């Protein structure tokens, strides 16, 4: 008989954080006692949470740098200017043509995800392809030039993934890895639009994670579980930015 109240990853994360209502938390505890795979999944999530706390916990205690505060203030000023320009644009669009709206609408987060998956499927406009691992291994400088940021090619060998290629695009790069079962895992990196985002979901039959700070946008994609993606994403992002 199917479980009428399936346990989701969202339930598991809320359970770990102590945010579930008691009735639902009891249901999760009973499920963990009966399902070894589910219990292993919770253990993996708890390990990831502990790793995040170890890596970033001390950063949260530091005061914000004065440069960051000044940057936020400048950004707020720009947003005020943008709002005024947007109002003017509305009147312009009414006067000119509704079709012009698509050209004036700001790019959304989905754009970088679609660009990453297009690149993975080989439909992006690739300007240079390097598939020789020996040549790619020391190519940090090429990656930095491609995305105009101080980044590094991550080492994912700890999880059994070997670097196998680097594809360069206009102001972006795709780093390719092969896993223990020869499964393809890709990192698509380009400059960020300045906003911050972390999200994990499924798209085009793949597990996708977008990790974006105010400097770079990173889209990771592969046929992996949610728990494996969480660990790969952490290893990839810290490797890129360390």
């Amino acid at each position: 008989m199917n479980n009428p109240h399936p346990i989701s990853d969202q339930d598991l994360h809320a359970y770990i954080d102590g945010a579930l209502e008691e009735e639902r938390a009891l249901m999760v505890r009973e499920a963990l006692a009966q399902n070894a795979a589910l219990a292993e999944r919770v253990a993996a999530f708890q390990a990831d949470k502990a790793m995040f706390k170890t890596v970033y916990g001390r950063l949260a205690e530091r005061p914000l740098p004065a440069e960051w505060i000044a940057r936020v203030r400048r950004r707020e000023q720009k947003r005020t200017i943008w709002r005024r320009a947007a109002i003017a644009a509305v009147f312009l669009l009414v006067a000119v043509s509704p079709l012009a709206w698509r050209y004036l609408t700001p790019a959304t987060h989905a754009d970088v995800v679609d660009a990453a998956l297009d690149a993975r499927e080989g439909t992006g406009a690739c300007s240079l392809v390097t598939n020789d691992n020996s040549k790619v291994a020391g190519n940090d400088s090429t990656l930095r030039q491609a995305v105009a940021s101080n980044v590094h090619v991550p080492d994912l060998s700890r999880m059994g993934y070997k670097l196998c290629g680097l594809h360069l695009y206009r102001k972006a790069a795709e780093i390719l890895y092969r896993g223990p079962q020869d499964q393809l895992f890709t990192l698509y990196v380009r400059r960020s639009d300045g906003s911050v985002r972390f999200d994990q979901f499924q798209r085009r039959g793949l597990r996708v994670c977008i990790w974006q700070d105010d400097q770079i946008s990173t889209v990771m994609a592969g046929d992996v579980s949610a728990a494996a993606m969480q660990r790969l994403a952490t290893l990839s992002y810290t490797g890129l930015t360390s």
Side-chain angles (χ1 to χ4, degrees):
M1 175 182 281
N2 291 333
N3 186 351
H5 303 289
I7 307 299
S8 67
D9 283 351
Q10 185 176 359
D11 288 327
L12 297 180
H13 284 295
Y15 175 76
I16 292 169
D17 295 335
L20 275 184
E21 294 182 358
E22 183 55 34
E23 182 179 352
R24 187 62 174 168
L26 178 60
M27 189 178 299
V28 171
R29 279 196 292 272
E30 292 175 350
L32 292 177
Q34 300 170 12
N35 189 326
L38 198 63
E40 183 179 348
R41 194 174 189 79
V42 168
F45 287 158
Q46 288 174 324
D48 290 336
K49 184 177 180 180
M51 179 168 55
F52 275 117
K53 186 175 181 180
T54 300
V55 175
Y56 300 111
R58 288 174 294 178
L59 296 178
E61 299 172 359
R62 298 181 184 176
L64 287 176
E67 181 184 349
W68 288 16
I69 296 174
R71 184 180 298 174
V72 169
R73 289 173 178 168
R74 288 196 299 269
R75 191 165 295 156
E76 286 300 321
Q77 292 173 349
K78 290 180 180 179
R79 285 174 180 167
T80 300
I81 295 173
W82 168 252
R83 291 189 194 103
R84 294 173 181 171
I87 293 172
V90 170
F91 289 106
L92 176 63
L93 290 171
V94 171
V96 180
S97 168
L99 293 177
W101 178 254
R102 71 182 63 182
Y103 299 105
L104 296 179
T105 303
T108 64
H109 287 299
D111 292 336
V112 67
V113 175
D114 289 337
L117 296 181
D118 287 346
R120 181 184 169 99
E121 293 170 1
T123 57
C126 184
S127 60
L128 173 66
V129 180
T130 306
N131 290 315
D132 184 345
N133 183 53
S134 64
K135 293 180 180 178
V136 176
N139 225 354
D140 284 356
S141 60
T142 302
L143 179 63
R144 292 190 194 107
Q145 291 174 9
V147 300
S149 187
N150 185 25
V151 290
H152 310 270
V153 176
D155 179 5
L156 305 186
S157 59
R158 190 185 310 174
M159 291 192 63
Y161 284 79
K162 295 182 179 180
L163 184 67
C164 66
L166 176 65
H167 294 180
L168 301 183
Y169 301 85
R170 185 175 179 272
K171 298 183 179 179
E174 180 187 42
I175 312 169
L176 297 87
Y177 299 84
R178 288 287 177 182
Q181 281 75 49
D182 200 41
Q183 66 270 40
L184 179 64
F185 182 76
T186 55
L187 271 67
Y188 183 87
V189 187
R190 77 180 190 192
R191 290 284 294 181
S192 168
D193 63 4
S195 60
V196 176
R197 183 188 181 196
F198 179 84
D199 199 4
Q200 188 183 144
F201 46 88
Q202 288 187 301
R203 180 83 60 85
R204 303 190 196 179
L206 297 170
R207 175 68 57 179
V208 177
C209 178
I210 176 170
W211 196 328
Q212 180 169 289
D213 57 28
D214 63 345
Q215 297 295 319
I216 61 169
S217 248
T218 308
V219 178
M220 293 148 271
D223 185 11
V224 297
S225 68
M229 175 58 82
Q230 194 78 10
R231 293 192 289 274
L232 281 166
T234 301
L235 196 58
S236 298
Y237 181 80
T238 53
L240 273 169
T241 57
S242 62

